[in-house]
Amino acid sequence: MEDISVFEEVSSMGHEQVVYCHEKSTGLKAIIAIHNTVLGPALGGTRMWMYENEAQATYDALRLSRGMTFKNSIAGLNLGGGKAVIIGDARKHKSEGMLRAYGRFLKNLNGKYITAEDVGMNASDMEHIAAETSHVSGMPETRGGLGDPSPFTAYTTYMGMKAAAKKQFGSDSLEGKKVSIQGAGHVGEYIIQHLKKEGCEIYVSDYYEDRVKDVVNKYGIKGVGLDEIYDLDVDIYSPCALGATVNDETLSKLKCSIIAGCANNQLADEKVHGDLAKSKGILYAPDFLINSGGVINVYAEVIKTTKDWSWNKCEFVYDQTLKVFDQSQATGKNAQEVAIDIAQQRINEVAAIKSTY
């Protein structure tokens, strides 16, 4: 990871632009990656995380922004893909000054990239960014926005789980199913609520131990260690934190029939680990498809429509996920590859139209 060549990665993933942002007095170190703007301005959240080094942060921004291109496309949104990361511990380093400084960098992009919240960020943080730029979505409802997108992300992820259960078990009922959830953040907790109502047996882990204690006490579920989550004998493993948790090491441990979560870039390598999961009989629900609810609601704010529009739009996920599984079975490709093909086809069609004038 330390030997990453930025230009090689940008070229291989097909990015349009990468912006490095630094403001000394606030400690801001941010990376904005714009992957593709064929369908519209790039939209994707800003993540704040304590990366081990700048190369790791850059790679994360590049992968996340590419995923947003496919997510926005497969959801039928007129948006391109972008993402940003801020290097730092959100609990210790985040400040109004830092966020406003970051907002100034966004403003300089003149609307090519629109941001929203992601890991380590919330709606009130968007207010600070919005003090410097209008290219922000996911604003609090008190400010005329549509608020926290987390419930929408959780809902479509839940719908993806049910579609996977339908394909794998013959019924989309999750009653009695054992589900391990890695990550008890905003979205993870909403997913826990859905699964609890359906009568699932739920296990949860999180980087922050206090979050595990909170949800365990609140919902009567079982907390487990960060590494222990991979060893559980469950029906569904649900990655709801950072990416690349489906890899050589974890696939040798996982005892599940379905992988379906809200995290982005769950497969360390889309081809290698998508194929490996498939060969092991594990049904993988494409992450950018089933976690698209949040960006749908953020887009609703951009086009100035309502939450009702968002909820209705989110309903596409169940049927689309089943179609992806069927195509995967018919073609032999893993489900992630199939979903990417569907998303890329729309991008290619619009690009061809644009090239005629």
Side-chain angles (χ1 to χ4, degrees):
M1 185 68 69
E2 289 78 3
D3 297 327
I4 182 175
S5 167
V6 174
F7 284 107
E8 285 182 10
E9 291 293 342
V10 166
S11 176
S12 67
M13 294 192 202
H15 284 74
E16 296 177 6
Q17 186 175 2
V18 179
V19 181
Y20 287 82
C21 315
H22 177 245
E23 203 290 311
K24 185 175 181 180
S25 68
T26 63
L28 173 70
K29 292 181 180 179
I31 303 164
I32 303 169
I34 298 171
H35 180 254
N36 186 288
T37 57
V38 168
L39 298 178
L43 188 149
T46 294
R47 170 172 298 189
M48 187 166 184
W49 192 255
M50 197 65 234
Y51 293 97
E52 293 179 8
N53 51 59
E54 291 162 14
Q56 186 186 61
T58 298
Y59 188 66
D60 202 27
L62 294 176
R63 288 198 77 199
L64 289 167
S65 55
R66 175 178 174 271
M68 288 306 303
T69 293
F70 299 137
K71 183 185 302 191
N72 291 334
S73 176
I74 205 166
L77 309 180
N78 296 322
L79 293 169
K83 203 84 173 187
V85 300
I86 297 175
I87 301 171
D89 187 329
R91 292 191 174 191
K92 297 177 181 177
H93 303 142
K94 187 166 57 178
S95 67
E96 177 183 352
M98 175 185 285
L99 296 174
R100 292 184 66 154
Y102 171 62
R104 293 219 161 203
F105 283 100
L106 291 186
K107 183 179 180 180
N108 291 338
L109 289 170
N110 298 312
K112 188 174 184 180
Y113 169 63
I114 303 168
T115 199
E117 67 178 84
D118 196 77
V119 175
M121 304 289 277
N122 55 49
S124 63
D125 295 328
M126 296 304 106
E127 287 191 86
H128 292 316
I129 296 170
E132 303 295 335
T133 178
S134 61
H135 306 303
V136 184
S137 191
M139 292 285 286
E141 293 182 71
T142 54
R143 288 284 304 275
L146 295 182
D148 182 7
S150 299
F152 297 88
T153 307
Y155 179 70
T156 54
T157 302
Y158 171 60
M159 286 294 102
M161 282 186 187
K162 290 180 73 67
K166 177 72 173 177
K167 183 69 176 178
Q168 193 78 318
F169 307 131
S171 168
D172 66 10
S173 172
L174 299 179
E175 184 177 3
K177 294 290 187 286
K178 297 179 180 179
V179 184
S180 58
I181 299 177
Q182 183 190 51
H186 293 166
V187 182
E189 182 169 355
Y190 282 115
I191 291 173
I192 288 169
Q193 291 175 8
H194 286 296
L195 298 179
K196 187 70 176 176
K197 289 178 182 176
E198 256 206 80
C200 295
E201 184 177 330
I202 304 168
Y203 302 84
V204 65
S205 70
D206 194 274
Y207 179 80
Y208 296 108
E209 291 184 9
D210 59 328
R211 281 299 300 156
V212 174
K213 292 178 182 177
D214 286 346
V215 294
V216 165
N217 292 333
K218 192 172 181 179
Y219 301 103
I221 59 180
K222 299 176 183 177
V224 298
L226 288 174
D227 293 327
E228 187 183 354
I229 197 82
Y230 303 114
D231 297 319
L232 300 175
D233 188 354
V234 295
D235 299 293
I236 301 171
Y237 164 58
S238 184
C240 294
L242 301 182
T245 65
V246 181
N247 51 51
D248 289 337
E249 181 182 358
T250 59
L251 280 170
S252 69
K253 299 178 181 179
L254 286 171
K255 305 176 187 70
C256 61
S257 298
I258 292 168
I259 298 174
C262 68
N264 293 306
N265 299 326
Q266 294 166 28
L267 299 170
D269 184 292
E270 290 165 342
K271 175 63 176 173
V272 172
H273 300 114
D275 285 351
L276 183 55
K278 191 172 188 294
S279 71
K280 293 171 69 71
I282 299 173
L283 191 61
Y284 177 80
D287 46 21
F288 65 84
L289 169 56
I290 71 169
N291 71 9
S292 61
V295 77
I296 287 172
N297 193 56
V298 168
Y299 178 65
E301 185 174 319
V302 171
I303 63 173
K304 302 186 187 308
T305 187
T306 65
K307 282 188 175 182
D308 287 341
W309 181 91
S310 300
W311 289 120
N312 289 333
K313 182 72 173 172
C314 286
E315 295 297 336
F316 93 98
V317 167
Y318 183 91
D319 289 338
Q320 183 67 275
T321 304
L322 286 174
K323 288 178 183 178
V324 166
F325 291 148
D326 289 343
Q327 285 187 36
S328 173
Q329 186 174 20
T331 63
K333 290 185 174 182
N334 70 57
Q336 186 81 349
E337 288 182 295
V338 170
I340 289 173
D341 287 346
I342 293 170
Q344 190 63 55
Q345 181 179 359
R346 179 173 177 243
I347 294 167
N348 293 344
E349 288 176 356
V350 173
I353 293 169
K354 287 188 174 183
S355 70
T356 63
Y357 60 88

